[in-house]
Amino acid sequence: MTLFGMLATLLTAWSLAPLVESSGWLLQAAALLGVQGAVGAGARRVPLARALTVAAQLLVSLLLLALLFAGKAEPTGSGPLSFLVGDFAGLFQQGVRDVGEFAIPAPLTDGIRLLLLAGVLLIGLLVDFLAVTMRTAAAAGLPLLALYSVAAGLSAGQGGAWFAFLLAGAGYLLLLLSEGRDRLAQWGRVFGAAPSGRVSAASGYGGGSGGGGRALAPVRTGRRIGAVALGLALAVPAVLPALGGGMLGTPGDDTAKAGGGGTISAVNPLVSLQSSLNAQDNRVVLKYRTDSPQLGEQYLRILALDEFNGVKWEASGRPLTDVPERLPTPSGLSERVRESATEVRTTVSAAETYAQRYLPMPYPATQVDIGGKWRYEPAGRTLVGDQLGKDRFQNVQGAQYTVRSLLLRPTAEQLQAAPGPNPFVQAEYTKLPDNLPPVVAETARQVTQGSKDDYTRAVKLQDFFAVNGGFRYDTKVSSGTGSQAIARFLNDKEGFCVHFAFSMAAMSRTLGIPARVAVGFTPGEKQSDGSVNVSMRDAHAWPELYFEGVGWTRFEPTPRSGISIPEYSRTDTPAPQPSAPSALPSQAASAPAVTPSQNDACPPELKKLGECGAAAAQQGGRAGSDGVPVGAVLGWSAGALALLGLPLLPLLWRRRVRSRRLGVGRAGGPDVLEAWRELGDSAWDVGIEPDEALSPRRAAGRVVTLGRLDGEAAQAVHRVAGAVERALYAPPGAEAAPYGALASDVLLGRAALLAAMPRRVRLRALLLPRSAARVSWAVSARLAALSARAASLTSRVRLPLRR
């Protein structure tokens, strides 16, 4: 059973192999599972209690992991406690960060390897406990199913799903088969067919009327049933198309219905933005490599929506030109800001299923190298596919292109000191529809009250939506884009990036700040080979505000995890503004919605966005972000002490009983009979079982003989036996002579018994004393007394009721 439990766990763990690049960790998992199973088998052989068996396995597993990963993490201090609590926990946290950063298949970093091995060992421990310790192999399928389900859900589309399911199912069936054979073996030999002449056809074991058929043993029948069930589970989904997306299917196999021919095609990206965010198949539409030092700023912008007519935001009709060799300098960008910028190079590859007519690229682009027929729109700095024929346009489907762009690094002081915008820009990008509800302008004025410049107003609007306004990110909200939708969004305070971007842009225009909405993709997910994958769930919309000298500047009002808040818009940068947490760049863009909190210290959504900064860390009582939290240290310390203390419980209990019996600290000295019981239990602990039929004198002689005692130790045992005889058989009224050395003689006899035994017996007597059986006896007696008392009370109640 132990071997088959380990085998079932290891075969199910194979389903985790597609998650990482290397499968070498499986050999380590097999070795660790072997040691864990051997510890369990040895503990059951002793035998130990079930709780102690699991505790021993858990303790050994933790020690093995600690030894295996010793020195892998950055040291946070010295000493074993620092290693177990700081380094080990730090490596575990590093593994969690690696899982969030890398895409599948991820590199086998030390942190990820620790997560894999720890998870497999935990499942193995549960399987061993349920199948072997508790003798319920069927229930052991639950942790195995949990392990397979997690692996199958994460590795969907990676291939080999049917093989992983086959291995996991075979392991579970072998575990059930081994339990069945084990149960049958307890009755004797595994029975098979009865003689054909003695079995009727109706019994199910004969061969029918012919009498020549061979009967089937129940084990063999169960084996065939399992094989047929496993075969059906593999074959039926392949035969029935309706089941193709089940446990063995790959969600990525189904073609999206967003456009004809399995492609995603939308002239205006807003048409499919909400459906992309809610899509279950997270297909990769773009892959790119970049030399940008700040991947969190590598947004791929598609186009800018600069006209708001009260019904929707859309791109105004502007003339297109040929794509120049070198794109002109961005509008409003001063030479001072341009000098501090870095030109980065990005190579993009679009998927064959992505047929967008606008070209996704970083902003602001300075040079684009792409084949095909493209046109350039100067105001929005976008490339649009040209017409190729009747109802045919150039698109990005399957294209490979290179973009050079500027990584702008404006400072908060530069934005704060920006002069008034160009009159043309001011007039063009502050237009508002007549049907805009007054609540939009009123809310904007209330939020920015007391601000003296446009930059401060913009940051306050951003914080109103992303931090302190109580807004909730939810992609299921109806995606209205008109004036009434903005008013409804300000009232309901729930929506997704479209609502946040449109509302901030409209409110900025009411304050006289030129604004528009950009649509594109967040930076995407970094891969182990250095490339970055961008999927449809990375689709995003954000507002761009115009500042003279800097140009169009991105802001992030959407409280969505994985989104990078620009450094220049963090409110802790300019001195006159109130301090607020800062953001850390992130490469992961597809994450669940986050609910804002009113906690003044640090809202949960800012913690998820990594925006709590050093100030929040200091408020939490930590000196720096690299330190280990005091609560974590105390928790790990308590857990380690509890684990280390479990094997010592019998030793501590035995010491406590000995002190009580020998009257340590008692004024009148120990009781003779209690001291005699302690001497008998000491002999029992080293293997000399008590014999209640013997007299004290003969029992003492037996202990001296079997314990190989001589000299002073043998005399001490006989003196104790003599004291017992005087206490039991002295004439009535006779006073026993004082015996002040009673406790010393018992301790002397116990020490001599331990010294005469081998080391293994001494360790067993100290750590797992046989006399601890008295605990279970006492518990059984107490339960029996309680049961008798309950029965007595029940009978007393029933008798009047019967009368």
Side-chain angles (χ1 to χ4, degrees):
M1 286 291 295
T2 302
L3 292 177
F4 278 103
M6 292 161 45
L7 180 63
T9 305
L10 194 60
L11 291 178
T12 307
W14 178 268
S15 57
L16 295 170
L19 301 182
V20 291
E21 294 177 344
S22 173
S23 300
W25 65 273
L26 283 170
L27 297 177
Q28 294 179 333
L32 295 177
L33 282 174
V35 176
Q36 179 179 267
V39 171
R44 286 184 289 268
R45 188 80 173 177
V46 170
L48 289 181
R50 292 173 176 175
L52 292 179
T53 299
V54 176
Q57 290 179 285
L58 182 60
L59 179 61
V60 170
S61 301
L62 290 176
L63 292 177
L64 288 176
L65 288 176
L67 294 176
L68 183 62
F69 291 93
K72 301 295 184 181
E74 291 293 333
T76 58
S78 59
L81 182 62
S82 174
F83 169 72
L84 291 175
V85 178
D87 301 354
F88 201 57
L91 187 61
F92 192 89
Q93 294 174 357
Q94 181 61 45
V96 175
R97 289 193 294 270
D98 291 342
V99 169
E101 179 179 356
F102 295 105
I104 298 173
L108 188 59
T109 63
D110 291 328
I112 294 179
R113 185 158 59 97
L114 173 61
L115 294 181
L116 291 173
L117 293 178
V120 172
L121 282 178
L122 178 60
I123 297 299
L125 181 61
L126 292 175
V127 170
D128 186 84
F129 172 71
L130 293 173
V132 187
T133 304
M134 301 300 296
R135 313 297 295 179
T136 55
L142 294 177
L144 293 175
L145 178 61
L147 178 61
Y148 174 79
S149 300
V150 171
L154 293 176
S155 61
Q158 299 297 318
W162 68 270
F163 185 66
F165 176 74
L166 178 63
L167 289 179
Y172 181 52
L173 289 177
L174 288 174
L175 181 61
L176 294 178
L177 178 62
S178 65
E179 187 200 32
R181 295 184 65 90
D182 189 51
R183 288 182 182 274
L184 290 177
Q186 295 177 5
W187 292 84
R189 59 182 295 272
V190 178
F191 57 89
S196 58
R198 299 183 182 179
V199 181
S200 65
S203 65
Y205 294 102
S209 58
R214 185 180 179 185
L216 297 178
V219 174
R220 188 179 306 163
T221 303
R223 187 186 303 124
R224 294 185 180 182
I225 292 175
V228 171
L230 189 59
L232 290 176
L234 290 170
V236 171
V239 175
L240 301 179
L243 299 180
M247 184 179 293
L248 303 180
T250 55
D253 293 342
D254 298 332
T255 302
K257 305 301 186 293
T263 61
I264 302 171
S265 177
V267 175
N268 188 339
L270 291 178
V271 174
S272 58
L273 182 55
Q274 185 177 22
S275 61
S276 300
L277 294 174
N278 289 323
Q280 294 300 318
D281 67 329
N282 194 16
R283 287 186 295 169
V284 175
V285 293
L286 297 170
K287 288 179 176 286
Y288 70 87
R289 292 179 178 272
T290 182
D291 57 3
S292 173
Q294 292 180 275
L295 187 59
E297 301 293 330
Q298 193 73 2
Y299 279 54
L300 297 180
R301 184 172 171 276
I302 296 176
L303 82 163
L305 310 177
D306 53 7
E307 184 175 315
F308 184 34
N309 57 17
V311 178
K312 61 180 179 179
W313 286 81
E314 61 184 0
S316 57
R318 301 182 184 275
L320 304 178
T321 64
D322 294 334
V323 181
E325 180 70 21
R326 185 83 178 176
L327 303 186
T329 302
S331 174
L333 183 62
S334 66
E335 188 62 30
R336 180 183 176 186
V337 178
R338 174 68 177 83
E339 290 176 353
S340 63
T342 303
E343 187 170 78
V344 298
R345 184 176 183 272
T346 305
T347 303
V348 187
S349 176
E352 292 291 342
T353 57
Y354 185 55
Q356 176 58 248
R357 186 179 167 190
Y358 295 89
L359 187 67
M361 55 185 182
Y363 181 86
T366 58
Q367 187 176 359
V368 183
D369 182 12
I370 186 173
K373 297 182 64 177
W374 296 89
R375 303 281 285 173
Y376 176 65
E377 195 274 286
R381 301 183 67 84
T382 58
L383 264 64
V384 188
D386 200 0
Q387 189 167 4
L388 301 177
K390 185 178 181 181
D391 298 330
R392 292 179 58 245
F393 293 88
Q394 177 72 51
N395 59 47
V396 74
Q397 186 175 5
Q400 294 185 356
Y401 55 98
T402 302
V403 181
R404 292 187 176 274
S405 59
L406 294 177
L407 179 60
L408 300 177
R409 296 186 179 91
T411 64
E413 289 76 10
Q414 291 172 340
L415 293 168
Q416 206 167 21
N422 181 294
F424 172 77
V425 175
Q426 178 78 23
E428 181 71 15
Y429 294 99
T430 57
K431 293 180 180 178
L432 289 169
D434 297 334
N435 64 346
L436 186 68
V439 67
V440 179
E442 292 174 2
T443 305
R445 286 194 298 270
Q446 292 175 2
V447 171
T448 60
Q449 187 176 7
S451 302
K452 298 180 180 180
D453 55 82
D454 287 347
Y455 166 77
T456 306
R457 297 185 184 96
V459 172
K460 284 190 174 182
L461 287 178
Q462 174 182 267
D463 292 346
F464 171 67
F465 289 109
V467 180
N468 51 37
F471 287 85
R472 187 171 67 90
Y473 183 86
D474 186 2
T475 60
K476 305 298 183 182
V477 177
S478 176
S479 58
T481 59
S483 299
Q484 298 301 323
I486 296 177
R488 186 168 57 250
F489 169 66
L490 293 176
N491 180 66
D492 298 341
K493 294 191 174 184
E494 58 181 10
F496 59 104
C497 57
V498 167
H499 300 92
F500 289 95
F502 288 175
S503 300
M504 181 172 174
M507 294 171 71
S508 298
R509 288 193 174 190
T510 64
L511 299 173
I513 306 175
R516 64 187 185 186
V517 176
V519 180
F521 297 97
T522 52
E525 192 173 39
K526 187 179 180 180
Q527 308 298 301
S528 58
D529 60 355
S531 64
V532 182
N533 286 353
V534 178
S535 64
M536 286 306 298
R537 292 183 64 180
D538 294 324
H540 188 47
W542 62 92
E544 290 181 343
L545 277 58
Y546 183 86
F547 292 89
E548 194 66 37
V550 180
W552 291 103
T553 309
R554 175 176 69 89
F555 283 82
E556 273 298 354
T558 305
R560 169 182 163 188
S561 63
I563 291 180
S564 170
I565 294 182
E567 187 172 350
Y568 49 78
S569 67
R570 302 175 190 174
T571 54
D572 59 349
T573 307
Q577 302 302 328
S579 176
S582 59
L584 296 175
S586 174
Q587 285 77 35
S590 57
V594 181
T595 302
S597 171
Q598 302 301 326
N599 187 357
D600 294 335
C602 184
E605 73 276 6
L606 293 184
K607 295 178 182 177
K608 293 187 178 182
L609 289 172
E611 299 179 32
C612 288
Q618 292 174 1
Q619 293 175 6
R622 291 177 289 180
S625 59
D626 294 333
V628 180
V630 177
V633 172
L634 295 178
W636 279 85
S637 301
L641 291 176
L643 289 176
L644 294 175
L646 282 176
L648 300 178
L649 287 179
L651 173 65
L652 298 176
W653 170 84
R654 191 69 182 82
R655 178 176 297 179
R656 171 64 178 168
V657 170
R658 185 181 308 114
S659 300
R660 179 175 54 81
R661 287 174 175 174
L662 297 182
V664 176
R666 188 187 303 174
D671 181 77
V672 174
L673 297 182
E674 289 291 327
W676 175 249
R677 175 173 291 186
E678 172 59 31
L679 182 60
D681 283 354
S682 299
W684 188 8
D685 291 339
V686 296
I688 304 175
E689 297 182 0
D691 189 350
E692 302 293 341
L694 299 178
S695 65
R697 184 173 301 179
R698 295 195 60 183
R702 181 170 176 265
V703 169
V704 169
T705 302
L706 296 180
R708 298 188 293 276
L709 303 182
D710 54 8
E712 184 63 26
Q715 295 176 11
V717 172
H718 284 297
R719 284 198 296 269
V720 175
V724 173
E725 287 181 340
R726 288 192 296 272
L728 292 177
Y729 309 125
E735 295 184 1
Y739 186 9
L742 179 59
S744 301
D745 284 346
V746 172
L747 294 177
L748 178 60
R750 176 179 177 273
L753 287 171
L754 291 174
M757 297 297 168
R759 179 180 301 177
R760 180 180 61 84
V761 177
R762 290 201 302 270
L763 289 177
R764 166 69 190 270
L766 292 174
L767 298 178
L768 297 172
R770 293 176 174 85
S771 60
R774 295 189 184 276
V775 176
S776 62
W777 296 351
V779 172
S780 300
R782 181 66 59 84
L783 292 178
L786 292 176
S787 177
R789 185 175 181 182
S792 176
L793 291 176
T794 304
S795 62
R796 291 180 182 178
V797 173
R798 285 180 178 177
L799 185 59
L801 290 178
R802 288 179 179 177
R803 291 177 177 173

